[in-house]
């Protein structure tokens, strides 16, 4: 827990732009909420590594969203089922199913579709929110928080040194 | 953490930051680009590493999958020595495939030295496995194993065989006849009761119909009128003309009386027949009760019934197995969803969409099989065997030819025109195949081995999703059985009976539909079984039947008195005739 906290503080305090941090959280939401071995996740990993997305924030957020995905497993399945079986959408799914990308994307599994919809929704919503919160943290809360005894202790610990350059 | 430490930390941080300041400023002046090129290299590097790891591990993974899935299906160990993967051309080779015999774990039911499959890479792009050619070579059967091929827990069919063989002949001598009869709800007593009620009703009706007092009164009135009119006629002949209306009226009354009595003769016949039928049912009652009670011992239909009860087709495990197989067969792939677990988050159930890629998920375009053993050789070919079968676009064909000590062939032609239209034809023949040391069955006393004989089989028929029409005849000519030495009782008689047979035959007929097949199995073994059981059971059954009959007679009582019902009808008939005679006398006079 302390490791995660240290990583988050380090990322927040880094000089990377709020966009880089916010997009990391958003992309982690999609990866965390859907089955790992899916085609879209391969694409997201490419984006994360190719573009300057904050890796620390991505790697910290990913397991947290996976945990959330496991807790919401049942609603995710229902959502996937509802969307896949919606009569007006079936022709579109059929067309997509008969393409190579569609066939390998596994979208026709309820868990993949449900997770992708929920993950993408969280990603879209979380991007401006997390960006605003990061800005607020940096310009308003940073000084206050750094004065807290817990934060000072954390910064003085070996853990902080260990992840300091992450 | 002390305050001193915190101070030191603060000082070191400020010192470090003052040193890094120019460096950071320099970095800020040179903004980093949007791309992280080393990241792309890392991504493809990782992909390469994962791909290589998969290629190296895939043979082991494929072998493990075949072993686990195969063992689950067969109920015994399925083993593959190793799997070879080739990328160009795309091919998979399984070496030394062994499938253990679930019933005899120290030998293989099937073994192949090599199975080579060349795959269509274009089909794999669509997640479909299309085998261009499958070569199966070095097929063997019954080869010995160095280790047991049994799976823990065994398989269900073995339990079914044990159930069939574990026939317990009912212990007739211990039957509690007295309790059985006293507790029984006897049909004879019910019939006697019904008969008596009917007899009473009939008596009542006849008593009213042939009421002597009323009849005598009416006759007296007729007699009086007749006398009065006769005297008037004697006094003056002209009175005959004057009283003609009264004479006519008197004649009409006599006719009415006669008609009423004549009408009773129909009723007499009907009532007599009714009571006669019921009396017959009463007479048959004790026999019906006896048969019903004897059913409790499996002797409702004598020894034949006993055989039906204990060795009927429902106890033939292979028939059961075939029925279960047929019932579990999903003809149309109609299921909406299937489950597949993958990765950390559950992938969930699959929703199926119309597949416009007209190709089955699994297809073997060409199948070549060969193998030999000390006793047989195999040459086989197959074409277009696939799942889902209607997507192959061609009928699946399979032809197996066995040679060696005998000759056998198996031909299958399955044509799925659509998911709801299928026609499959099967034709298999085995001609005089010599048998050596073939296990017929296993009992707790040991194995029943056919040491010699010739096996013949003829299976033919066709199947559609709506209808099955399959006939199979199996025969073992001049069977010589080696029986377990401890065998006794009816089982020994059965074994000896089989040894005396010129032929053991089984006729299996399957009709109905795949969902509700009607399977009938006939065998001359049933007759042998009857004889074997009959030796032991017949005498005891006869004694038991005698005991039950005696107790029944005791409970039912003497039924001979009921026979007197017919005498009453005679009496009623006499009465009717007497009344008619009187009426006739007066009519003649008029």
């Amino acid at each position: 827990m302390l490791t995660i906290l240290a990583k988050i503080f380090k990322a927040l305090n880094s000089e990377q732009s709020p966009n880089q941090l916010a997009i990391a959280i958003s992309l982690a939401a999609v990866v965390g909420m859907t089955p790992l071995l899916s085609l879209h996740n391969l694409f997201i990993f490419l984006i994360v590594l190719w573009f300057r997305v904050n890796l620390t924030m991505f790697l910290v957020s990913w397991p947290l969203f996976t945990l959330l995905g496991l807790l919401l497993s049942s609603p995710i399945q229902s959502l996937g089922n509802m969307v896949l079986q919606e009569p007006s959408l079936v022709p579109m799914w059929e067309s997509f199913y008969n393409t190579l990308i569609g066939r390998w994307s596994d979208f026709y599994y309820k868990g993949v579709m449900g997770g992708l919809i929920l993950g993408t929704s969280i990603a879209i919503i979380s991007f401006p929110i997390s960006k605003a919160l990061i800005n607020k943290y940096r310009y308003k809360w940073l000084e206050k928080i750094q004065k807290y005894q817990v934060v000072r202790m954390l910064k003085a610990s070996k853990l902080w040194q260990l992840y300091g350059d992450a | 953490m002390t305050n001193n430490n915190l101070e030191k930390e603060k000082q070191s941080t400020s010192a470090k930051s003052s040193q890094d300041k120019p460096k950071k400023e320099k970095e800020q002046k040179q903004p980093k680009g949007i791309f992280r090129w080393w990241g792309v290299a890392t991504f493809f590097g990782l992909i390469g590493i994962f791909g290589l790891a998969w290629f190296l591990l895939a043979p082991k993974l494929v072998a493990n999958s075949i072993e686990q899935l195969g063992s689950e299906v067969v109920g015994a160990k399925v083993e593959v020595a190793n799997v070879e993967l080739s990328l160009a051309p795309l091919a998979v080779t399984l070496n030394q495939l062994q499938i253990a015999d679930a019933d005899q774990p120290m030998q293989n039911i099937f073994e192949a030295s090599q199975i080579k499959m060349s795959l269509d890479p274009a089909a794999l792009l669509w997640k479909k496995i299309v085998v261009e050619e499958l070569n199966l070579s070095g097929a063997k059967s019954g080869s010995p194993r160095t280790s047991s091929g049994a799976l823990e827990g065994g398989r269900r069919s073995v339990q079914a065989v044990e159930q069939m063989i574990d026939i317990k002949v009912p212990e007739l001598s211990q039957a509690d006849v007295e309790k059985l009869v006293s507790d029984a709800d006897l049909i004879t007593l019910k019939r006697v009761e019904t008969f008596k009620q009917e007899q009473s009703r009939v008596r009542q009706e006849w008593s009213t119909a042939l009421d002597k007092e009323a009849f005598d009164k009416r006759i007296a009135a007729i007699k009086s009128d007749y006398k009065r009119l006769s005297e008037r006629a004697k006094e003056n002949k002209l009175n005959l003309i004057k009283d003609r209306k009264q004479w006519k009226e008197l004649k009409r009354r006599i006719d009415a009386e006669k008609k009423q009595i004549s009408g009773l003769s129909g009723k007499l016949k009907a009532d007599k027949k009714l009571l006669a039928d019921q009396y017959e049912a009463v007479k048959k009652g004790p026999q019906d009760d006896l048969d019903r009670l004897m059913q409790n011992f499996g002797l409702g239909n004598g020894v034949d019934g006993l055989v039906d009860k204990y060795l009927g087709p429902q106890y033939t495990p292979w028939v059961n197995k075939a029925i279960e197989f047929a019932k579990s067969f999903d003809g149309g792939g109609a299921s909406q969803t299937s489950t597949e677990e993958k990765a950390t988050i559950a992938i969930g159930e699959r929703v199926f969409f119309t597949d416009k890629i007209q190709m089955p998920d699994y297809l073997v375009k060409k199948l070549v099989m060969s193998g030999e053993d000390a006793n047989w050789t195999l040459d086989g070919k197959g074409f277009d065997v696939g799942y889902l079968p209607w997507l192959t676009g061609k009928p699946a064909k399979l032809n197996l030819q066995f040679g060696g000590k005998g000759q056998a062939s198996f031909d299958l032609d399955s044509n799925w025109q659509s998911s709801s239209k299928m026609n499959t034809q099967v034709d298999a023949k085995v001609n005089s195949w010599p048998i050596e040391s073939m296990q017929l069955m296993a009992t707790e006393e040991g194995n029943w081995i056919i040491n010699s004989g010739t096996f013949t089989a003829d299976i033919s028929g066709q199947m559609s999703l709506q209808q099955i029409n399959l006939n199979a005849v199996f025969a073992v000519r001049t069977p010589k059985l080696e029986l377990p030495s401890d065998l006794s009782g009816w089982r020994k008689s059965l074994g000896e009976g089989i040894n005396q047979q010129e032929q053991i035959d089984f006729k299996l007929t399957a009709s109905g539909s795949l969902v509700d097949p009607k399977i009938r199995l006939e065998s001359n073994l049933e007759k042998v079984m009857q004889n074997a059981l009959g030796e032991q059971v017949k005498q005891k059954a006869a004694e038991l039947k005698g005991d039950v009959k005696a107790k029944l007679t005791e409970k039912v009582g003497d039924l001979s008195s009921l026979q007197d019902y017919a005498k009453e009808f005679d009496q009623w008939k006499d009465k009717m005739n007497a009344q008619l005679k009187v009426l006739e006398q007066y009519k003649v006079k008029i």
Side-chain angles (χ1 to χ4, degrees):
Chain A
M1 190 65 195
L2 276 175
T3 313
I4 293 171
L5 212 60
K7 280 182 176 180
I8 290 171
F9 276 125
K10 277 289 173 186
L12 288 171
N13 297 347
S14 70
E15 291 184 1
Q16 290 210 319
S17 74
N19 281 340
Q20 286 172 288
L21 295 167
I23 196 80
I25 294 169
S26 294
L27 292 175
V30 180
V31 176
M33 302 291 279
T34 55
L36 180 60
L37 299 176
S38 304
L39 190 66
H40 64 269
N41 283 343
L42 201 67
F43 182 64
I44 288 174
F45 286 129
L46 177 63
I47 291 173
V48 168
L49 286 167
W50 193 355
F51 295 89
R52 289 199 181 277
V53 176
N54 187 287
L55 287 175
T56 308
M57 190 55 91
F58 177 78
L59 293 171
V60 169
S61 309
W62 176 10
L64 297 176
F65 280 112
T66 302
L67 196 68
L68 183 66
L70 288 170
L71 292 171
L72 295 175
S73 179
S74 183
I76 283 174
Q77 302 273 340
S78 307
L79 177 67
N81 186 41
M82 196 179 75
V83 173
L84 286 170
Q85 308 234 25
E86 168 59 39
S88 59
L89 297 177
V90 166
M92 182 179 80
W93 299 136
E94 264 180 19
S95 301
F96 188 45
Y97 179 72
N98 287 292
T99 62
L100 272 180
I101 293 177
R103 197 58 64 98
W104 283 94
S105 68
D106 285 350
F107 80 93
Y108 40 86
Y109 286 99
K110 293 174 185 177
V112 175
M113 180 52 79
L116 195 58
I117 291 171
L118 195 64
T120 310
S121 306
I122 292 173
I124 292 167
I125 295 164
S126 71
F127 181 76
I129 293 173
S130 49
K131 195 175 153 187
L133 287 173
I134 291 161
N135 278 327
K136 212 158 198 175
Y137 167 81
R138 284 188 174 172
Y139 298 113
K140 285 191 176 174
W141 301 335
L142 179 62
E143 280 184 26
K144 285 181 190 171
I145 287 173
Q146 279 189 338
K147 284 176 189 168
Y148 290 153
Q149 188 72 7
V150 182
V151 178
R152 290 171 72 190
M153 279 165 65
L154 195 67
K155 286 179 83 174
S157 69
K158 282 184 181 175
L159 204 67
W160 188 267
Q161 302 303 322
L162 194 66
Y163 294 107
D165 298 325
Chain B
M1 183 79 56
T2 62
N3 284 337
N4 287 341
N5 281 343
L6 288 173
E7 283 301 316
K8 278 180 192 172
E9 154 71 10
K10 207 173 179 181
Q11 283 166 11
S12 71
T13 313
S14 62
K16 197 180 171 186
S17 63
S18 62
Q19 283 170 7
D20 292 346
K21 223 171 186 179
K23 198 179 169 186
K24 280 183 179 171
E25 279 170 3
K26 202 177 175 183
E27 280 175 1
Q28 278 173 352
K29 279 174 192 171
Q30 292 175 333
K32 291 173 183 172
I34 190 170
F35 298 118
R36 187 156 47 195
W37 293 107
W38 63 263
V40 182
T42 308
F43 176 79
F44 286 107
L46 284 173
I47 294 283
I49 290 167
F50 280 123
L52 187 69
W54 182 87
F55 183 72
L56 294 173
L57 290 173
K60 192 72 194 159
L61 294 175
V62 172
N64 279 346
S65 303
I66 291 170
E67 286 177 354
Q68 284 178 13
L69 195 72
S71 300
E72 189 70 25
V73 172
V74 177
K77 277 185 187 170
V78 173
E79 290 163 321
V80 182
N82 69 315
V83 174
E84 292 169 30
L85 281 186
S86 156
L87 290 180
L90 194 61
V92 181
T93 307
L94 312 181
N95 290 316
Q96 214 55 46
L97 171 77
Q98 292 186 75
I99 302 171
D101 188 342
D103 300 327
Q104 297 174 68
M106 288 311 289
Q107 71 176 41
N108 291 319
I109 199 164
F110 179 79
E111 186 182 342
S113 57
Q114 194 177 64
I115 300 174
K116 194 170 184 177
M117 292 173 270
S118 55
L119 301 169
D120 179 2
L124 271 183
L125 276 179
W126 292 98
K127 286 190 160 183
K128 291 168 189 290
I129 296 172
V130 173
V131 179
E132 293 285 355
E133 187 169 335
L134 188 150
N135 268 293
L136 188 152
S137 56
K140 282 183 187 174
S141 178
S143 54
R145 291 175 59 89
T146 48
S147 61
S148 170
L151 286 180
E152 234 174 89
R155 72 179 193 191
R156 284 162 62 190
S157 64
V158 174
Q159 293 163 19
V161 171
E162 282 167 1
Q163 186 191 2
M164 182 191 84
I165 300 306
D166 191 23
I167 299 168
K168 297 273 186 270
V169 175
E171 194 48 76
L172 303 178
S173 54
Q174 289 177 4
D176 188 349
V177 175
E178 190 153 357
K179 188 174 186 313
L180 181 78
V181 175
S182 67
D183 290 352
D185 188 11
L186 297 182
I187 201 161
T188 309
L189 295 179
K190 285 181 181 171
R191 287 178 185 170
V192 168
E193 185 60 31
T194 309
F195 177 82
K196 283 182 174 170
Q197 281 173 5
E198 279 300 303
Q199 196 179 27
S200 167
R201 181 187 63 79
V202 168
R203 261 187 205 142
Q204 183 66 37
E205 284 177 7
W206 279 99
S207 166
T208 312
L210 297 176
D211 186 352
K212 194 174 181 304
E213 202 175 324
F215 181 77
D216 288 348
K217 273 184 186 173
R218 290 198 302 274
I219 289 293
I222 288 169
K223 199 175 173 180
S224 159
D225 287 348
Y226 175 76
K227 194 177 175 184
R228 180 175 58 80
L229 291 171
S230 296
E231 281 170 1
R232 275 172 56 79
K234 277 179 189 172
E235 284 169 12
N236 187 351
K237 296 284 181 193
L238 285 174
N239 281 343
L240 276 171
I241 298 165
K242 281 181 186 173
D243 296 336
R244 66 182 184 279
K245 279 186 180 175
Q246 289 184 51
W247 280 111
K248 272 186 182 173
E249 173 59 23
L250 187 63
K251 193 184 171 193
R252 194 193 58 74
R253 279 163 59 195
I254 292 169
D255 285 341
E257 286 289 339
K258 274 180 73 181
K259 198 176 174 185
Q260 191 196 344
I261 293 167
S262 300
L264 284 175
S265 68
K267 180 179 162 55
L268 186 87
K269 279 180 189 167
D271 287 347
K272 194 174 180 181
K273 188 175 182 312
L274 177 77
L275 287 184
D277 289 347
Q278 289 195 353
Y279 178 68
E280 282 306 310
V282 170
K283 274 208 307 187
K284 275 177 67 186
Q287 186 59 45
D288 291 345
D289 277 325
L290 186 64
D291 291 343
R292 222 156 49 89
L293 290 175
M294 294 306 278
Q295 273 176 10
N296 291 303
F297 306 107
L299 287 164
N301 293 313
V303 178
D304 294 355
L306 193 68
V307 173
D308 282 348
K309 182 173 176 177
Y310 291 100
L311 201 73
Q314 70 272 26
Y315 279 85
T316 308
W318 304 110
V319 176
N320 268 344
K321 204 176 173 185
I323 292 168
E324 276 171 23
F325 173 76
K327 282 186 176 172
S328 68
F329 182 79
D330 185 353
S335 62
Q336 288 294 307
T337 54
S338 71
T339 307
E340 193 178 315
E341 292 302 326
K342 201 160 121 181
T344 47
I345 300 280
I347 196 164
E349 291 179 333
R350 181 179 173 175
V351 176
F352 285 88
F353 295 105
T354 309
D355 192 349
K356 289 174 185 165
I357 312 302
Q358 288 295 312
M359 200 187 284
D361 288 351
Y362 306 97
L363 171 66
V364 179
K365 285 187 178 174
K366 188 180 175 188
L367 175 70
V368 181
M369 284 181 274
S370 65
E372 61 182 336
D373 212 332
N375 299 323
W376 55 267
T377 59
L378 163 70
D379 276 304
K381 278 184 182 174
F383 298 95
D384 303 306
V385 180
Y387 179 84
L388 303 160
W390 54 88
L391 291 176
T392 60
K394 293 176 184 173
K397 291 184 179 187
L398 189 64
N399 170 260
L400 304 177
Q401 295 288 338
F402 293 88
K405 290 191 172 179
Q407 277 199 328
S409 65
F410 178 82
D411 279 293
L412 184 133
D413 190 323
S414 182
N415 189 8
W416 288 77
Q417 288 167 333
S418 67
S419 61
S420 57
K421 199 171 180 187
M422 176 271 276
N423 185 31
T424 298
Q425 289 192 314
V426 185
D427 189 15
K429 283 184 174 60
V430 180
N431 293 326
S432 303
W433 198 289
I435 299 171
E436 290 169 8
S437 299
M438 187 182 111
Q439 183 182 312
L440 181 68
M441 56 187 174
T443 58
E444 55 192 25
E445 293 91 352
N447 292 337
W448 295 39
I449 309 288
I450 302 178
N451 275 337
S452 67
T454 53
F455 178 69
T456 306
D458 189 351
I459 304 163
S460 64
Q462 57 182 14
M463 236 180 347
S464 69
L465 290 175
Q466 290 76 32
Q467 203 172 1
I468 309 173
N469 183 10
L470 192 72
N471 291 297
V473 179
F474 307 95
V476 180
R477 292 204 177 106
T478 56
K480 285 290 161 237
L481 259 184
E482 184 188 319
L483 304 170
S485 53
D486 296 343
L487 214 60
S488 60
W490 72 271
R491 293 180 191 202
K492 192 177 180 184
S493 304
L494 177 65
E496 286 166 353
I498 292 173
N499 265 334
Q500 286 163 10
Q501 295 296 305
E502 277 187 25
Q503 177 172 308
I504 306 171
D505 58 47
F506 298 90
K507 280 182 194 167
L508 189 140
T509 315
S511 57
S513 66
L514 276 177
V515 182
D516 184 22
K518 291 175 177 59
I519 293 171
R520 183 172 167 77
L521 182 70
E522 292 171 62
S523 170
N524 65 344
L525 265 185
E526 285 180 33
K527 189 74 188 164
V528 181
M529 184 77 187
Q530 279 181 24
N531 293 336
L533 282 171
E535 290 294 322
Q536 186 182 351
V537 173
K538 262 181 187 169
Q539 197 182 349
K540 282 185 180 175
E543 285 171 15
L544 179 72
K545 204 169 180 176
D547 288 349
V548 175
K549 199 172 181 178
K551 290 286 169 198
L552 262 176
T553 311
E554 198 178 299
K555 186 171 177 180
V556 169
D558 185 15
L559 298 175
S560 60
S561 60
L562 297 176
Q563 202 176 357
D564 293 344
Y565 78 94
K567 288 179 186 169
E568 284 182 305
F569 282 94
D570 293 340
Q571 287 167 7
W572 295 329
K573 197 173 179 180
D574 291 345
K575 269 188 185 177
M576 279 165 60
N577 287 337
Q579 288 178 352
L580 274 174
K581 203 174 173 182
V582 172
L583 289 167
E584 197 59 40
Q585 282 171 1
Y586 283 104
K587 197 177 174 187
V588 169
K589 285 177 183 172
I590 292 169

